[in-house]
Amino acid sequence: METELLNIESVSSKQKAAALRKAGEIIREGGLVAFPTETVYGLGADALNAEAAAKIYAAKGRPSDNPLIVHIHDISQVYEIAEEVPDEAKAVMEKFWPGPLTIILNKKSCVPDGTTGGLHTVAIRMPSHPIARDFIRESGRMIAAPSANTSGRPSPTLASHVYEDMQGRIPLILDGGAVGIGIESTIIDMSTGIPTILRPGYITKDMLEEVLPEVKIDPAVSGRTMKKDIVAKAPGMKYRHYAPKGQLTLVEGDKDKVIAKINELVREKKEEGYKVGVIGTDETLDAYHADILRSIGSRQKPESVAANLYRILREFDDLECDYMYSESFFEQGLGNAIMNRMLKAAGYHLITLQEGLVWIIARLL
Ligand code: TXA
Ligand code: MG
């Protein structure tokens, strides 16, 4: 199958309309279209067509028990697929939609098992990216979409990442340039009991607590070790998301100690003849010596770190780096989501250096 990569960002409104029309036709015929959202690129199919949803699993090489998120363009669509919509869920939708938040609710029977991995719940998100919303509206369908990467690779933040992974497997990619946020949506389970975060993202617990009296975090996604005996409530969170070709190790502690430790580890691996990379920040990159150096962004702007993370991990893979060492980030606000993804990418390889006062105080804040 030929994969067409259609620029939809810097084109005339006529060209844009034609591209969206084409995308809509493919969806209505049961095919797949990759499209940009504000978090990462998605791989979309008609959510209520089980055969179409099955194509997503085939294209991604994704385990079939891992359910898909249904993307909508209007809140009214929630009532077509969700059995009950509690008042608390309505308040969350009003506050955070359109945006990077996925809400789990009990499903209606029209949502096929092929979309929900056999669960009685459905994950719903109304993205804010204008192309995503135009695409969903134009298709006349609700769109089931996981991230548009091959299973086991970092989520795509550029159309070229989607092309790398999906070339020959899907007919169309809508190229809307770089996404804004760069890590996947926050997932909150509102189908039962106290609302629970199943995947941390841009919308943080504190933000959710502005409209909800109580929010829990699924124990399987908090913390810094692999929890073998706790089953994640979001089936996808149990898979080791991204297995880099090389080994990534995170180092945490006081800044100067971290730099010294990473440089020491790099020296050792280089002496053994390996290709070694470092992920630093705008504030520290000059202090490192390695074959490949990348700044993940500025510590002053956690948004920049989230936006660059997956692209940099892909670059290290492309450069066939054997060992990678990275600074780590405070697990506060967006830092929770950043560390959740980085720890997974590192297979939970984390070196904690003896903590200085500054580090301890910052952690307590
Ligand atoms: O930002 C995002 O959410 C992106 C864009 C494309 O919208 N999508 C995305 O989809 O990250 P995916 O398939 O890569 O991740 C969906 C996660 C998986 O961990 C899956 O197990 C969980 O959502 N999930 C989906 N439906 C669920 C349900 N009914 N109950 C619990 N977890 C669910
Ligand atoms: Mg994914």
Side-chain angles (χ1 to χ4, degrees):
M1 182 188 293
E2 277 283 306
T3 300
E4 193 177 0
L5 187 60
L6 267 183
N7 182 343
I8 189 164
E9 197 192 20
S10 44
V11 293
S12 70
S13 53
K14 215 169 154 189
Q15 283 167 311
K16 189 176 156 189
L20 288 169
R21 245 192 331 271
K22 189 174 215 166
E25 265 165 39
I26 294 173
I27 292 295
R28 288 188 297 278
E29 284 164 10
L32 305 183
V33 175
F35 62 102
T37 82
E38 70 277 23
T39 56
V40 299
Y41 273 78
L43 180 60
D46 179 350
L48 302 189
N49 175 344
E51 272 169 48
K55 289 185 188 166
I56 291 179
Y57 291 90
K60 278 183 64 92
R62 177 176 174 120
S64 60
D65 67 342
N66 192 0
L68 308 171
I69 295 173
V70 178
H71 295 67
I72 59 176
H73 69 83
D74 192 283
I75 288 186
S76 65
Q77 294 175 299
V78 167
Y79 300 88
E80 294 175 37
I81 51 176
E83 192 59 64
E84 311 135 47
V85 185
D87 285 344
E88 286 193 338
K90 286 181 195 158
V92 169
M93 289 170 200
E94 288 295 329
K95 172 94 177 170
F96 298 106
W97 278 1
L101 181 74
T102 297
I103 304 175
I104 312 259
L105 295 171
N106 289 307
K107 81 173 182 83
K108 280 193 172 155
S109 58
C110 63
V111 188
D113 280 350
T115 297
T116 63
L119 297 175
H120 65 275
T121 52
V122 58
I124 312 174
R125 171 159 120 77
M126 181 163 127
S128 62
H129 196 297
I131 295 172
R133 299 187 62 193
D134 287 349
F135 161 60
I136 301 167
R137 190 181 303 110
E138 171 71 33
S139 76
R141 300 286 192 271
M142 287 177 265
I143 301 290
S147 48
N149 51 291
T150 306
S151 225
R153 294 215 72 201
S155 295
T157 55
L158 291 168
S160 60
H161 297 160
V162 182
Y163 193 76
E164 261 168 46
D165 287 11
M166 292 297 149
Q167 190 184 351
R169 301 184 188 193
I170 64 173
L172 180 62
I173 300 168
L174 298 175
D175 181 353
V179 300
I181 293 174
I183 53 178
E184 306 85 348
S185 61
T186 305
I187 301 180
I188 185 164
D189 184 358
M190 305 194 74
S191 67
T192 172
I194 298 166
T196 304
I197 294 174
L198 306 188
R199 177 172 74 181
Y202 186 84
I203 305 293
T204 61
K205 182 170 184 278
D206 286 349
M207 290 157 79
L208 287 159
E209 279 169 349
E210 285 172 26
V211 282
L212 294 173
E214 196 181 351
V215 178
K216 289 198 301 190
I217 300 186
D218 183 7
V221 299
S222 60
R224 13 187 62 219
T225 49
M226 184 106 69
K227 293 184 177 152
K228 293 200 181 70
D229 41 356
I230 303 179
V231 179
K233 278 196 78 184
M237 297 304 280
K238 75 172 181 251
Y239 294 107
R240 171 149 175 222
H241 243 200
Y242 161 60
K245 292 177 185 147
Q247 174 60 57
L248 171 66
T249 300
L250 311 182
V251 182
E252 69 176 359
D254 289 342
K255 184 177 118 194
D256 293 340
K257 286 186 191 155
V258 167
I259 292 171
K261 182 69 182 177
I262 289 181
N263 278 330
E264 178 194 321
L265 291 163
V266 170
R267 206 175 320 114
E268 279 171 23
K269 288 298 174 198
K270 275 177 72 101
E271 275 168 20
E272 292 170 25
Y274 292 113
K275 193 168 184 180
V276 192
V278 167
I279 302 178
T281 48
D282 291 354
E283 290 81 7
T284 57
L285 199 68
D286 289 347
Y288 293 108
H289 312 282
D291 298 314
I292 311 159
L293 288 175
R294 290 286 183 279
S295 170
I296 195 170
S298 166
R299 286 197 173 270
Q300 310 305 318
K301 290 187 223 135
E303 295 80 10
S304 65
V305 175
N308 290 321
L309 173 63
Y310 288 143
R311 177 180 51 78
I312 288 177
L313 292 176
R314 278 181 180 258
E315 283 173 16
F316 278 113
D317 266 358
D318 293 344
L319 294 164
E320 303 198 319
C321 199
D322 299 306
Y323 287 91
M324 294 148 282
Y325 298 97
S326 175
E327 296 177 12
S328 58
F329 297 88
F330 292 129
E331 285 141 306
Q332 290 155 10
L334 185 55
N336 266 308
I338 292 168
M339 278 301 276
N340 171 267
R341 307 308 192 276
M342 289 187 91
L343 279 162
K344 282 182 147 220
Y348 295 90
H349 282 233
L350 171 71
I351 296 174
T352 303
L353 301 173
Q354 204 185 11
E355 300 193 341
L357 200 56
V358 176
W359 181 259
I360 291 169
I361 291 170
R363 279 267 286 283
L364 291 174
L365 286 178

